[in-house]
Amino acid sequence: ASWMGGDRDGNPFVTAEVSAEVLLQTRRLAAELYLRDVERLITDLSMQQASPALRERVGDTAEPYRTLLRQLRARLFATREWAAAALLDGRAPGPQVLQDNGELLEPLLLCYDSLGSCGMRRIADGPLLDCLRRAYGFGLFLVRLDILQDAGRHVAALDEITAWLGLGRYAEWDEAQRLVFLQRELANPRPLLPGHYRPGADTAEVLATCRVVATAPAAALGSYVISMAGAPSDVLAVQLLLKEAGLQRPLRVVPLFETLDDLEHAGAAIDRLLAIPGYRQGLAGPQEVMIGYSDSAKDAGTLAAAWAQYREQ
């Protein structure tokens, strides 16, 4: 995955707006690149012989491959134009916009299988196979975007929220109190915040980033990485903020342990996290864990940090 446009750890210029722009830029560029491939394929695949499956799809036409690929070209063009326009005004995608990689792969695979079944395997294994490999490798989004945010920003946001709700100060609670609150709210079907809540600028930015994550297609995102993580509550805090933003699917939330103290307690923190009832069942695949090299070296020195990293791994 890429951190360009997603790494907001200590960088005030990487905002929710920037992350949303990066996601749209990658969609626009991907559509442009596939358009180049499809234009070439339309020129090359002029043959008439086609499989029954392809004939059934395009009907009685003298140029079955070109007919199908022109349909794909129209959708790629619509995707590119929508992404370019959405960068300016945030408009919603229309019905022609490609949303899933399967929509890109399906017509290409239909052409590939048809050529192979009609004795034209060498042609199928040319530029069409190259395009298929790119479609499998890069999809409609070119590269997944990781979101990186400091654990302290989440603590500050929840501290403001709990104070506003009259529940106390989240930042002053111990780990046990935080876990009780987070688990209760994660299990609660109602929203945490009313519609009239107006957060401060820093909390608003954290919530806006979570909304970008919640509205982005799953294939466009990698992990939500929590820098300077140190406890299970750091992970549950992000899950709660994402839930509040409307996220309806599992997302990898990744603690990044960086200081010497956090590294030394990372194993125990992960054990405690995985022991939380229901946590494992909600994971989007394996639990991903990261350890920090540069910040741990700054904190403890290169040798002590390297030894701590080795032991924790």
Side-chain angles (χ1 to χ4, degrees):
S2 170
W3 284 18
M4 291 185 289
D7 181 2
R8 63 225 334 106
D9 182 13
N11 187 344
F13 299 104
V14 180
T15 62
E17 183 179 357
V18 168
S19 294
E21 179 181 346
V22 168
L23 291 169
L24 286 170
Q25 288 282 22
T26 54
R27 294 188 75 172
R28 182 196 61 78
L29 182 56
E32 175 63 34
L33 293 171
Y34 291 124
L35 272 171
R36 298 178 192 176
D37 283 353
V38 171
E39 288 284 4
R40 177 178 178 180
L41 293 172
I42 290 172
T43 300
D44 291 350
L45 302 183
S46 61
M47 59 285 295
Q48 296 182 347
Q49 189 178 4
S51 66
L54 181 53
R55 284 288 180 189
E56 181 180 356
R57 176 69 174 274
V58 300
D60 185 18
T61 174
E63 297 179 325
Y65 300 93
R66 285 177 167 175
T67 299
L68 182 59
L69 291 170
R70 283 170 181 146
Q71 295 172 5
L72 177 58
R73 179 178 63 184
R75 297 199 66 185
L76 285 166
F77 182 81
T79 303
R80 184 189 67 181
E81 297 306 296
W82 160 75
L87 285 165
L88 300 175
D89 57 24
R91 72 182 61 181
Q96 278 285 91
V97 172
L98 293 166
Q99 298 282 13
D100 183 84
N101 207 38
E103 297 174 304
L104 172 65
L105 287 166
E106 189 269 339
L108 296 172
L109 285 170
L110 189 54
C111 290
Y112 185 83
D113 292 340
S114 176
L115 289 168
S117 67
C118 293
M120 294 178 277
R121 177 64 64 187
R122 180 170 295 182
I123 295 174
D125 287 342
L128 175 57
L129 182 57
D130 292 339
C131 182
L132 273 166
R133 285 171 171 157
R134 283 189 281 270
Y136 273 111
F138 300 100
L140 293 172
F141 307 98
L142 288 187
V143 62
R144 292 177 181 267
L145 180 67
D146 279 350
I147 301 296
L148 180 70
Q149 181 62 279
D150 187 278
R153 293 292 299 274
H154 307 131
V155 171
L158 286 172
D159 185 64
E160 178 183 320
I161 289 169
T162 56
W164 188 87
L165 292 172
L167 301 175
R169 302 306 300 249
Y170 180 88
E172 298 174 0
W173 297 345
D174 61 24
E175 180 67 6
Q177 290 176 291
R178 292 181 182 185
L179 288 176
V180 168
F181 166 75
L182 293 167
Q183 291 178 80
R184 182 180 69 241
E185 291 302 325
L186 281 167
N188 199 326
R190 61 151 174 76
L192 176 64
L193 294 167
H196 63 272
Y197 172 66
R198 294 295 177 266
D202 288 345
T203 299
E205 178 58 34
V206 170
L207 294 173
T209 297
C210 290
R211 284 193 293 272
V212 169
V213 173
T215 56
L221 296 170
S223 304
Y224 193 118
V225 181
I226 312 163
S227 63
M228 292 297 174
S233 62
D234 291 325
V235 175
L236 296 193
V238 171
Q239 290 186 331
L240 178 58
L241 292 168
L242 290 171
K243 170 180 174 283
E244 188 65 19
L247 185 68
Q248 299 293 314
R249 64 178 185 275
L251 178 75
R252 293 199 308 274
V253 178
V254 182
L256 168 54
F257 299 99
E258 299 187 86
T259 68
L260 181 62
D261 184 63
D262 289 337
L263 281 170
E264 290 177 340
H265 295 91
I270 293 299
D271 283 342
R272 189 175 182 185
L273 177 66
L274 294 175
I276 292 173
Y279 179 81
R280 286 175 180 262
Q281 289 70 31
L283 285 175
Q287 174 66 54
E288 185 179 343
V289 183
M290 297 180 68
I291 60 172
Y293 286 78
S294 61
D295 282 290
S296 60
K298 295 172 190 174
D299 178 53
T302 303
L303 181 61
W307 179 241
Q309 292 152 11
Y310 171 77
R311 283 184 300 143
E312 288 314 309
Q313 290 181 78

